[in-house]
Amino acid sequence: MATETGSATETTSVDPAEIEKFSRMAAEWWNPDSKFKPLHKFNPIRLAYIKRMVCQHFGLDPKLPAPFAGLRILDIGCGGGLLCEPMARLGAEIIGVDPAENNVEVARIHAASSGLEVDYRKSTAEQLQAAGETFDIVLNMEVVEHVADVGHFITACAHMVRPNGLMFVATINRTLKAMALAIFGAEYVLRWLPRGTHQYEKLVRPDEIKSPLSASGMTIIDETGVRYNPLTDRWTLSADMDVNFMVLATRQP
């Protein structure tokens, strides 16, 4: 998708309708009982997965108070900062980027009130790539189902991963099972999310993520499903990738 910026034409994967939607909900990011309640419940499992895989890949001691010290991390589509703040606490230099100004402002205020240093920016993956930014880790979590061009977006993010670096991608699979559980169940029955948060046609299959990653010189090193158990009210890793799933890729040194 191309947008006009002054006299220049900028290629971007940003979907204006998605930015508008999440901008309206920005003030609720840090309320665990708000529209973002599912993300608050989902956060512990994705944080545990990120910490385990990062420490394993880089040979870090997870028992240290700041095992991510020295790592430069990008959280693309950071929203209100639900992932950025834990990364800062783990010692990383964390850059949180979101195209929605409201999200960035909420994230900045919350980080300041928490005494954390997070570099929040209103920007896009394409703008960061054009500026020559590079990172040890790119967190691409629950974003690809909201962009206009998945392949373009994944490629821009992949090009910012340093040699031996990592990129995590988490999203919802485009399956009938996901439509039943993640859209109809979560939005219409349980009302965890506002109706229209996800559209079935914008959900993304694993191959649609792995293909542009591979084409960008990345190697897939792990993939896992993530499943919700209504009896325990908890998310756990699973071999079932039909609904929620995560893919981890590295750029070889």
Side-chain angles (χ1 to χ4, degrees):
M1 183 172 73
T3 58
E4 294 294 332
T5 305
S7 60
T9 299
E10 177 194 342
T11 301
T12 177
S13 55
V14 166
D15 185 332
E18 294 293 323
I19 297 173
E20 167 73 16
K21 179 166 60 183
F22 284 97
S23 291
R24 290 195 301 268
M25 298 188 287
E28 302 183 51
W29 272 105
W30 286 94
N31 180 357
D33 294 317
S34 72
K35 296 178 177 70
F36 295 105
K37 183 176 182 178
L39 269 183
H40 284 271
K41 287 183 175 293
F42 191 49
N43 228 20
I45 190 64
R46 64 180 184 172
L47 285 170
Y49 179 74
I50 291 167
K51 184 178 180 181
R52 176 168 61 87
M53 300 307 288
V54 167
C55 287
Q56 178 180 304
H57 182 78
F58 290 104
L60 305 174
D61 184 353
K63 296 179 182 178
L64 291 175
F68 287 9
L71 294 175
R72 190 169 196 253
I73 300 179
L74 168 66
D75 182 14
I76 190 72
C78 65
L82 298 186
L83 275 177
C84 288
E85 292 198 11
M87 295 299 107
R89 290 191 175 93
L90 288 168
E93 176 192 353
I94 177 72
I95 293 86
V97 170
D98 200 285
E101 183 67 41
N102 289 353
N103 288 344
V104 172
E105 285 305 312
V106 167
R108 283 174 180 156
I109 292 168
H110 196 274
S113 68
S114 301
L116 296 170
E117 289 190 18
V118 181
D119 180 0
Y120 285 114
R121 307 178 191 178
K122 178 184 179 297
S123 189
T124 67
E126 292 81 8
Q127 289 170 341
L128 291 176
Q129 183 197 355
E133 295 273 12
T134 62
F135 303 90
D136 298 296
I137 300 166
V138 173
L139 301 177
N140 194 330
M141 312 295 279
E142 287 75 48
V143 179
V144 294
E145 69 270 27
H146 301 293
V147 303
D149 187 327
V150 173
H152 184 78
F153 177 69
I154 291 285
T155 299
C157 291
H159 285 160
M160 291 187 283
V161 179
R162 294 171 175 170
N164 197 42
L166 297 172
M167 182 155 82
F168 292 80
V169 184
T171 189
I172 303 172
N173 205 341
R174 192 169 68 253
T175 63
L176 293 179
K177 184 175 179 180
M179 182 170 67
L181 297 177
I183 297 180
F184 183 75
E187 297 181 15
Y188 291 82
V189 178
L190 298 175
R191 297 184 180 180
W192 283 350
L193 297 165
R195 294 183 181 184
T197 298
H198 295 106
Q199 292 105 43
Y200 177 75
E201 64 276 8
K202 296 195 74 170
L203 302 184
V204 186
R205 295 191 177 114
D207 285 348
E208 294 167 343
I209 290 171
K210 292 189 284 186
S211 179
L213 282 173
S214 298
S216 301
M218 303 285 287
T219 301
I220 310 301
I221 58 174
D222 194 60
E223 51 188 296
T224 181
V226 190
R227 181 176 60 187
Y228 175 70
N229 186 332
L231 298 179
T232 61
D233 192 27
R234 289 181 59 195
W235 290 87
T236 57
L237 298 183
S238 167
D240 183 358
M241 296 177 60
D242 286 348
V243 185
N244 294 82
F245 68 93
M246 294 188 282
V247 171
L248 176 59
T250 187
R251 182 174 299 285
Q252 298 299 329

